Every structure is written in C-alpha cells, then in structure tokens.
Amino acid sequence: MTATLNDFREAEELDSRPGWTWERLQERWARVDHWSFMAALILIGVGFVLSMSAGPTLAARHGVDPFYYVTRQMIYAVPALAAIVFCSVLSLRDARRIGVMIFLAAILMLILLPFLGIERGGAVRWFSLAGVSVQPSEFLKPGLIVACGWMMTVKPEPGAPPGMPTAVGLLILSCGLLASQPDWGQTALSLSAWSAMFFLTGASVIWAASGAMAVAVVAIGAYAGSSHFRGRIDRFLHSDGELSFQMEMTLAAIKQGGVWGMGPGEGVRKLALPDAHSDFIIAVAAEEYGLTLTLAIIALFAFITLRSLLRAAASKDPFVRVAGGGLACLIGFQAAIHVGVAVHLLPTKGMTLPFVSYGGSSMLASGLTMGLLLALTRKPDPEPEPIRDPWDEGLER
C-alpha cells in the first residue's frame, strides 16, 4: 500500500487526456484498482447466491416461476458489470461529464415523477418503462456526488457561478425532490455523503457547525411536517420492547442463524419477510449462512470504502480527493444503513444493499457508482504524454 500511495504522490498529472484507442483503454484498465473491482464482483456473486434463497419464496407469493427473480437478478448484473468496466476506463474529464449528465437526467426524472410515476406503499418513487420499474433516486446519488465534487473544487473565474454555493444549491434541490416523494432514507444518505465531501474540502469548524445546525433544523422540520417520517422515528424511539412484525422476523432470522447458519435454503424466518430479497437481504444471509457470511459481506464493503478513500486522499487532484471520497462514502454509508436497520440500530427504512439486493435500478446505479469510483481512484499515468503547442513548434522552426 505504501508504494501505491507514493506512486500517487509522485505523479504530476491525473489522466485526463482523451483517447479511445484499444491500446489506450488497455493501458487505463491496467491502472484500475483491481482489488476493489474483485470485491465488487464477489458481492455480486453473493447476491446471486442469496437471491436463490429469497427469490423462490417471493416467486411463489406472486405466482411466477420459482427462479423468476434469480434470472432477473442475473440479467440486471450484465449492464451493471458493463457500467463498471466502461466507466472505470474513462478519462477524468469524461467521468466528470458522465456523472453530471446522470445527475441532470435524474433531476429531470424526479421532477416528472409526480406526473408520470407509479405509487407503491403510499410513495411515488418509480417509473414503469416497458414493464421495468426505474427508481430515479438511485441514479441521483452518484450524479450528485460527482456534480457537487466538481463545484466544490472548481477554480473561481470571472463570470462563472460560485462553486460552493452552487454545490449547496444542488444539494437543496436534490434533497427537496427526494423528500417530496417522500424518501427520507435516500435524503439522509445523500446528505451524509455530501457532508463527507464537505469535510474533505477542508471546511472550517464554523462552516461545519453551520452545516450541522442546518441539518438539525431540516430534521426537526421533517419530523414536525411529515407524519410518515414522524411515525417511523416514534416507533424506533418508543418501541418499549414491542417491535413491528417485520423487525421481529428480521432479528429472529439473525439470531436463528448463529455463527454458521442453518444452511442454504433452510431459512424459515425469511418466509415471513415481504422484502427479504431487497431491503432485508442481510437477514437472509445471517439466517442461512450465519455470522460468517455476514461479517464477510461487511468486510468487503469496508475494504472497498477504506481502500478507495486512501487512494483518493493520495491524489493531487482536488476533484479526485473530494468526489472520489464522496463516492466511496456513498457505498459505505448505504451498506451501513442497510445493516443498521436490520439489527435495529436505525429506524426502519427501505434501503438496498449495493450489488447484493435484488433490483434493476439498485444494481445498475451501484455499477455506475463503482465504475466512476474506479475511474477517479485509478493510478495516474506515470509518464504523461507532453502536450505540444503548434504555435511553439512554429517558433522553433
């Protein structure tokens, strides 16, 4: 790891040169963090295994083929893997452009959501396109991180929009659209990742305290103005030992699994969980494979997050440090929220586990996030090509 960090520090230029030749792409791929890439592949594989445990139960409930959800999970993984590989070999300039375009598209979809979206469970969070559900909030998160990371680190120029105020405005717009669904979990996740970026910019204590006060005011306002949000918080804080049926089954599944689990397909508590294949997939892992697999999953997410943070922090490019760190925190925070809800450390909130939970939007958004993260944390070119100016060449002649 030390040699890798020194290589980062010694490099004078992070690869922002365009180029789509096969040799150029191969050379970029050779500098990608293959260890984090492999960790993501393992998590996708774990998702397949767990979908074979949770999928047939859900399929029987909906009257479809037993391996319907397993097959769809495999189909969803194909574009996700393509997104990881494609984004990982982008130049920094192209990765930034892709992230901003994803952000603008997600904002447009969220604006149209109240008019064209479909309602599920009292919330309008999805579009139905050709029979496939698309959740724009999943794609908003990586786009927001890249766009705000760019704004936070852009050099001020005459006539250009101010960087940090613009980043704050994008955050307010995004959180406002998410809260209107309502989707307080994604709002909190986006705000947490943005706050991590704000910290990475080296913000002063005064600004950090001001931001914390603003978050507290928003949280109090949400509690007072949203019965949905208030109900979840009240049930979490004042359960008095009486948990919801869903949480009882989740904790029972985790306890039942013990250290080694009941074995593949042998779990019984999962039969009562309506979202065992997505929002509570970690409970399926705990019940059937025990604490062993659960800790392995947590370790993989910790590995990706910490390794990516170290690689981003070692960069000389402020955009890489801030946006790369934000993407790493986004993956780590989402995994932490998923596990925290399952063990009743956080209020109940539908939050998928990246790469593992069932869902097309979640899988593809996770792939885009990972691909952009690999692009930003890619080892810089040790021998950048010199940029020759035709005017200078003319003077030499």
Side-chain angles (χ1 to χ4, degrees):
M1 179 64 68
T2 302
T4 302
L5 295 179
N6 288 335
D7 290 341
F8 265 83
R9 295 189 178 99
E10 292 172 0
E12 293 294 333
E13 177 191 17
L14 285 166
D15 184 12
S16 61
R17 291 174 289 126
W20 289 96
T21 64
W22 179 247
E23 292 77 11
R24 187 70 181 128
L25 296 178
Q26 283 183 311
E27 190 270 334
R28 286 180 183 166
W29 175 252
R31 294 185 281 113
V32 165
D33 182 7
H34 295 117
W35 286 104
S36 293
F37 175 73
M38 288 301 300
L41 287 184
I42 293 173
L43 287 171
I44 293 175
V46 170
F48 288 156
V49 173
L50 296 180
S51 68
M52 296 184 69
S53 296
T57 301
L58 185 66
R61 193 178 300 157
H62 292 161
V64 295
D65 181 80
F67 292 98
Y68 174 81
Y69 291 99
V70 179
T71 304
R72 290 175 72 90
Q73 180 82 337
M74 297 178 67
I75 294 174
Y76 294 150
V78 174
L81 287 172
I84 294 176
V85 175
F86 171 77
C87 291
S88 68
V89 295
L90 293 173
S91 67
L92 289 183
R93 185 180 294 109
D94 289 337
R96 186 177 62 206
R97 288 172 178 170
I98 291 292
V100 172
M101 287 191 291
I102 291 173
F103 173 72
L104 294 176
I107 287 292
L108 178 60
M109 294 178 72
L110 285 172
I111 292 174
L112 296 176
L113 199 56
F115 309 101
L116 303 177
I118 57 177
E119 182 178 346
R120 293 180 183 174
V124 181
R125 301 173 185 169
W126 298 268
F127 285 105
S128 181
L129 302 176
V132 178
S133 297
V134 178
Q135 188 173 359
S137 60
E138 291 286 353
F139 301 95
L140 175 71
K141 294 175 295 186
L144 175 67
I145 295 302
V146 173
C148 289
W150 179 30
M151 289 294 99
M152 287 179 177
T153 57
V154 68
K155 294 181 180 179
E157 297 179 359
M164 186 60 74
T166 302
V168 173
L170 295 179
L171 175 68
I172 293 174
L173 173 63
S174 301
C175 290
L177 291 172
L178 291 173
S180 65
Q181 295 182 359
D183 193 340
W184 297 106
Q186 300 286 16
T187 303
L189 177 59
S190 300
L191 186 58
S192 298
W194 191 96
S195 300
M197 287 199 303
F198 186 66
F199 174 78
L200 291 173
T201 61
S204 65
V205 176
I206 295 177
W207 278 106
S210 300
M213 291 179 62
V215 172
V217 170
V218 171
I220 294 173
Y223 181 84
S226 173
S227 59
H228 176 79
F229 182 77
R230 182 170 59 254
R232 294 204 174 205
I233 297 298
D234 288 344
R235 285 193 296 271
F236 175 75
L237 295 177
H238 308 293
S239 61
D240 295 328
E242 296 183 5
L243 304 175
S244 66
F245 176 77
Q246 189 178 47
M247 186 53 60
E248 285 184 358
M249 291 297 100
T250 301
L251 294 176
I254 296 173
K255 181 179 180 180
Q256 186 74 25
V259 177
W260 302 108
M262 300 180 64
E266 299 298 324
V268 293
R269 304 292 183 180
K270 67 182 182 183
L271 303 177
L273 282 173
D275 297 314
H277 64 305
S278 56
D279 297 343
F280 291 94
I281 193 68
I282 196 70
V284 178
E287 183 177 21
E288 299 196 351
Y289 298 92
L291 184 64
T292 306
L293 180 61
T294 304
L295 291 179
I297 292 173
I298 294 173
L300 286 170
F301 279 110
F303 176 80
I304 293 174
T305 302
L306 296 176
R307 183 176 174 86
S308 299
L309 281 172
L310 288 174
R311 292 174 71 94
S315 172
K316 289 187 175 183
D317 191 307
F319 169 70
V320 171
R321 291 197 301 269
V322 174
L327 290 172
C329 289
L330 179 64
I331 293 176
F333 289 166
Q334 183 165 343
I337 291 174
H338 180 95
V339 176
V341 168
V343 297
H344 199 53
L345 289 177
L346 295 172
T348 304
K349 171 64 190 78
M351 184 72 69
T352 58
L353 189 61
F355 305 112
V356 180
S357 292
Y358 172 84
S361 295
S362 175
M363 181 68 78
L364 181 55
S366 297
L368 289 170
T369 303
M370 192 68 205
L372 292 172
L373 178 60
L374 291 175
L376 296 184
T377 59
R378 188 173 58 231
K379 182 180 178 181
D381 191 346
E383 297 180 359
E385 296 176 358
I387 301 176
R388 300 188 62 83
D389 192 330
W391 174 255
D392 293 337
E393 293 179 1
L395 291 178
E396 292 174 2
R397 296 192 187 96

